[in-house]
């Protein structure tokens, strides 16, 4: 998992995606700046 430090001060949302290197991207989840999952 990679993240930018700014996510904690900008109140940005983060999308976690797996399978990029295999060419089969899949959304794992979307999280707020505190790490809580946002419902889909």
């Amino acid at each position: 998992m990679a993240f930018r430090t700014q996510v904690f001060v900008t109140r940005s949302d983060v999308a976690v995606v797996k399978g990029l290197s295999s060419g089969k991207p899949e959304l794992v989840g979307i999280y707020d700046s505190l790490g809580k999952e946002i419902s889909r």
Side-chain angles (χ1 to χ4, degrees):
M1 185 166 143
F3 61 90
R4 299 184 326 165
T5 306
Q6 295 92 336
V7 89
F8 299 105
V9 293
T10 61
R11 302 194 190 276
S12 299
D13 295 337
V14 176
V16 178
V17 180
K18 69 176 183 178
L20 291 175
S21 62
S22 66
K24 298 177 183 175
E26 181 182 335
L27 180 64
V28 175
I30 301 174
Y31 301 87
D32 67 12
S33 61
L34 298 176
K36 296 179 183 176
E37 186 170 16
I38 298 172
S39 61
R40 293 193 234 174

